[in-house]
Amino acid sequence: MINYIDFWRHGRAVECTGLENQQGCKPFRGSNPLASAMSNPRVRFAPSPTGYLHIGGARTALFNWLFAKQNNGKFLLRIEDTDLERSKEKYVNQITDALKWLGLNWDEDIILQSKNNSRHQEMVSRMLKDGTAYKCFLQKDELDKLRRESEKKKEVFRVPRTYRDLPVEKEKELIKKGKSFTIRIKVPDGETEFNDLVYGSIKVQNKDLDDFIIARSDGSPTYNFVVAVDDADMKITHVVRGDDHLANTPKQILVYRALGLDEPIFAHLPMILGSDKKRLSKRHAATNVQEYKEKGFTPKVILNYLSLLGWNPDSDQEIFNENDLVKSFQFQQVQKKSAVFDEKKLLWISQQHLSEMNVRDLMNEIYVLSPGWGDGLEWDYLKEVVKLIKDRCKTIKEVATMSELFFTDKIDYDPDLLSKTFNSESIAIIKDFHTALNTVEDWSRVELENIFENIMEQHEVVIGKVMKPIRVALSGIPFGPGIFDLILLLGKDVCLRRLRHTLLEIE
RNA sequence: GGCCCGUUCGUCUAGUGGUUAGGACUCAUGGUUUUCAUCCAUGCAACAGGGGUUCGAUCCCCCUACGGGCUGCCA
């Protein structure tokens, strides 16, 4: 007996009896028509617009993008918006905004999956016509019951193939009676194997797969069907996605084969976990790419850190720009195990980037983060401010925040800090310093150093005792740029005013 | 339950049939620095467990445990 002939369409009809060896049923191997596509791969990122772009999605997008850039290919974006309930247009915008901000620009127009509906229907019909799929009249409650029963008996539940080879007349009869049906794929005997670029060879026995549904009773096609059709239509050569899809892949391959479509190459990426080793979810501290923007991380920093999660460059290099990444990226170096997201390391990467960033670029990043930053102040002054504090900051946000002390007229002193810093001795020092500053003629570093030395002598103290109270009085914080730089940049008037202000606060 | 995948310092990772199991982040200590940060030095810290194979296993094989994914008329 011949099972549905020509199920696999590989230029030749193959008869699978289920008894012969599996080789005959296996698809092309060495003659993979996609081999030539290596030079111009087409990859895609396919998020569902049911939420913001999270950090795991960003990494998936990044690896796709890197691979495309590296091989002179195309990086495409497909929005999987077929879940009408949960899909929202605002999320589409959030996702595209986040991708743009990261610099992961896509080629060609965005594909909305929902727009492909008629194409999906067409393909479902084709499978029905070809006999690679069938109408299944099992009702949901029947299935639920069967499932419960096998669970009770501790048996493995399998969807019964009751309607798989139903004569046409009987089918018509059932439809006439108003019985609803789903459409299931006829999973062939044998096994399905594929070679994942990250995980290597993956093999499953087809008997472990049910005749899964490709179209629901309302006619809408299901994910594992649609994704295969869309990827094929988009001529995707490499499917790069999270490893939560690893187990779905054989099903999708079955769809490709049933439809005679070219199979892509697959590469599955390990998951990103939270610090509790649980899959990164909304429950975790920050998973939204947007949040990292707000925290003051630049796109380059995010990309750099994300690339190191689950991938290693086969060298000691840890700081990368996009070009380095494009050059070094390799699926062979992608880890199989999931990785924990570590914000400490992110901060370190960020700091490394900041220290290498020139002041101008840094200022532009600050403007992206907070457009009103330094309003009304001169560019040159702002530049000096940034130059002075950038080496002490880990994020753009920190630079923006710390720079405030150069902008505001009035500093909000922390009472605890004041009481810790000031006693009768330091108050006297502040007063003396105020007097000296007031009368100084030459506003220079040398002159300031002289003043400091005089005070140290007068009060018989080390420089720390002079510097600390002055620093707190001038900046409101117990650390920061060199004291003379601070004074010189703030200017005489501001310094005098802040010294007086401090004295008022503590007295 | 079944199937698939995984398991090296707290974290990201390198590594090999014989290594003092390497690096980075974090943390601790010391040094440099007018403070802080940087920087430098030092230190703490890992092969999940059990069986094999082997002269010898972190590395190869098997089992167990643990973790994750899939198993849906979600995507």
Side-chain angles (χ1 to χ4, degrees):
Chain A
M1 179 191 134
I2 293 172
N3 297 348
Y4 41 97
I5 334 158
D6 196 17
F7 184 25
W8 314 120
R9 311 167 150 227
H10 299 294
R12 67 206 146 98
V14 177
E15 296 179 357
C16 297
T17 63
L19 293 172
E20 65 197 31
N21 76 50
Q22 306 300 328
Q23 296 310 315
C25 290
K26 274 194 181 163
F28 43 78
R29 267 294 189 74
S31 62
N32 191 331
L34 289 176
S36 62
M38 253 328 261
S39 51
N40 295 96
R42 290 169 66 82
V43 298
R44 88 303 195 273
F45 176 54
S48 340
T50 53
Y52 50 71
L53 177 67
H54 65 89
I55 220 74
R59 191 192 56 166
T60 302
L62 169 64
F63 283 17
N64 270 287
W65 184 86
L66 288 174
F67 183 69
K69 294 293 152 203
Q70 181 181 65
N71 298 287
N72 199 19
K74 298 279 189 221
F75 170 62
L76 310 182
L77 183 58
R78 181 174 73 230
I79 302 292
E80 307 212 320
D81 58 345
T82 43
D83 184 344
L84 273 359
E85 293 270 303
R86 296 192 300 149
S87 295
K88 295 277 179 321
E89 172 135 21
K90 67 168 181 179
Y91 292 133
V92 175
N93 294 330
Q94 274 187 27
I95 290 169
T96 53
D97 284 352
L99 287 173
K100 279 189 235 166
W101 176 69
L102 286 169
L104 301 178
N105 297 314
W106 55 93
D107 304 300
E108 303 181 7
D109 292 334
I110 298 177
I111 305 279
L112 290 178
Q113 190 162 62
S114 57
K115 295 259 171 75
N116 293 149
N117 195 257
S118 59
R119 171 65 173 168
H120 301 148
Q121 298 298 344
E122 181 194 331
M123 294 309 248
V124 170
S125 306
R126 187 156 127 198
M127 279 182 65
L128 236 25
K129 191 168 138 257
D130 290 351
T132 54
Y134 63 99
K135 294 180 177 122
C136 172
F137 294 88
L138 283 166
Q139 302 302 302
K140 196 170 194 322
D141 49 349
E142 289 178 71
L143 281 168
D144 287 345
K145 198 175 151 206
L146 290 170
R147 228 183 293 262
R148 276 196 302 272
E149 277 169 13
S150 8
E151 204 168 307
K152 220 181 203 172
K153 284 189 266 178
K154 302 217 162 165
E155 283 171 1
V156 176
F157 174 74
R158 286 273 113 84
V159 174
R161 295 176 162 189
T162 321
Y163 299 95
R164 186 158 151 143
D165 296 304
L166 196 71
V168 188
E169 309 81 59
K170 296 221 169 169
E171 190 179 293
K172 279 185 180 159
E173 222 170 274
L174 286 167
I175 293 174
K176 203 178 262 176
K177 275 193 206 159
K179 269 240 182 193
S180 72
F181 60 87
T182 57
I183 296 170
R184 292 182 182 272
I185 187 173
K186 288 184 184 172
V187 171
D189 295 332
E191 59 187 28
T192 301
E193 186 179 5
F194 66 100
N195 194 36
D196 191 275
L197 254 28
V198 173
Y199 284 91
S201 167
I202 306 280
K203 199 195 312 186
V204 294
Q205 300 302 314
N206 288 358
K207 68 175 167 55
D208 291 326
L209 267 20
D210 281 319
D211 280 353
F212 59 92
I213 292 174
I214 60 169
R216 306 180 183 91
S217 48
D218 67 359
S220 63
T222 58
Y223 171 75
N224 283 125
F225 177 77
V226 161
V227 75
V229 171
D230 285 345
D231 282 337
D233 283 347
M234 289 166 75
K235 303 202 168 6
I236 298 302
T237 60
H238 295 71
V239 171
V240 181
R241 75 236 294 195
D243 78 3
D244 46 343
H245 292 285
L246 197 59
N248 282 327
T249 305
K251 292 183 179 180
Q252 291 161 23
I253 287 177
L254 256 16
V255 172
Y256 280 99
R257 293 183 188 169
L259 252 13
L261 304 169
D262 288 340
E263 292 169 39
I265 293 164
F266 293 91
H268 287 90
L269 274 17
M271 301 273 91
I272 297 178
L273 310 179
S275 49
D276 56 357
K277 301 224 176 190
K278 291 266 159 58
R279 189 178 170 174
L280 210 55
S281 75
K282 326 230 163 184
R283 293 182 30 245
H284 288 93
T287 57
N288 185 347
V289 169
Q290 178 71 23
E291 287 177 66
Y292 287 92
K293 177 184 177 185
E294 282 157 15
K295 283 182 171 194
F297 295 102
T298 66
K300 286 174 196 294
V301 169
I302 303 283
L303 261 26
N304 189 161
Y305 178 65
L306 249 26
S307 72
L308 256 22
L309 267 191
W311 171 78
N312 83 79
D314 212 15
S315 77
D316 280 346
Q317 188 177 353
E318 299 212 81
I319 303 305
F320 290 90
N321 61 33
E322 293 91 327
N323 289 338
D324 294 335
L325 288 174
V326 167
K327 263 186 239 157
S328 347
F329 181 75
Q330 287 295 345
F331 282 116
Q332 287 87 327
Q333 307 281 359
V334 173
Q335 207 77 344
K336 293 187 184 72
K337 71 162 178 173
S338 42
V340 174
F341 190 90
D342 180 18
E343 196 161 325
K344 291 249 175 67
K345 183 100 179 197
L346 209 212
L347 277 168
W348 179 78
I349 301 253
S350 181
Q351 182 192 71
Q352 298 295 311
H353 278 256
L354 274 201
S355 71
E356 288 184 12
M357 203 186 284
N358 70 48
V359 176
R360 202 194 168 79
D361 292 343
L362 182 46
M363 288 170 80
N364 286 333
E365 290 290 348
I366 299 173
Y367 283 126
V368 171
L369 181 65
S370 43
W373 177 77
D375 258 358
L377 292 162
E378 289 198 16
W379 175 266
D380 283 343
Y381 178 69
L382 294 173
K383 213 168 121 185
E384 290 306 312
V385 168
V386 170
K387 212 188 270 179
L388 215 51
I389 61 179
K390 79 183 263 280
D391 289 342
R392 298 178 162 75
C393 296
K394 288 181 160 64
T395 63
I396 300 294
K397 175 110 184 255
E398 276 180 34
V399 178
T401 306
M402 196 183 261
S403 61
E404 288 296 323
L405 76 89
F406 292 94
F407 304 161
T408 53
D409 196 41
K410 211 175 149 198
I411 286 184
D412 289 324
Y413 294 101
D414 172 15
D416 279 350
L417 180 61
L418 288 184
S419 63
K420 237 183 272 174
T421 310
F422 292 104
N423 52 34
S424 56
E425 182 186 72
S426 47
I427 289 171
I429 287 172
I430 291 288
K431 282 179 177 164
D432 286 351
F433 183 62
H434 182 271
T435 311
L437 212 55
N438 206 11
T439 55
V440 72
E441 282 178 11
D442 183 19
W443 185 247
S444 70
R445 192 183 181 99
V446 179
E447 201 50 40
L448 289 172
E449 283 173 5
N450 284 337
I451 293 175
F452 266 64
E453 263 165 45
N454 289 340
I455 293 179
M456 282 159 68
E457 251 172 59
Q458 268 175 45
H459 293 261
E460 292 181 330
V461 291
V462 295
I463 188 164
K465 292 272 183 189
V466 178
M467 195 198 64
K468 269 198 182 143
I470 291 175
R471 172 183 296 287
V472 169
L474 294 182
S475 69
I477 48 177
F479 53 86
I483 190 73
F484 300 121
D485 292 327
L486 180 69
I487 296 168
L488 286 170
L489 188 57
L490 281 173
K492 189 168 166 180
D493 291 345
V494 174
C495 287
L496 289 171
R497 218 178 307 141
R498 287 187 183 177
L499 291 169
R500 287 195 294 273
H501 183 199
T502 306
L503 289 170
L504 282 176
E505 289 272 322
I506 42 188
E507 277 165 3

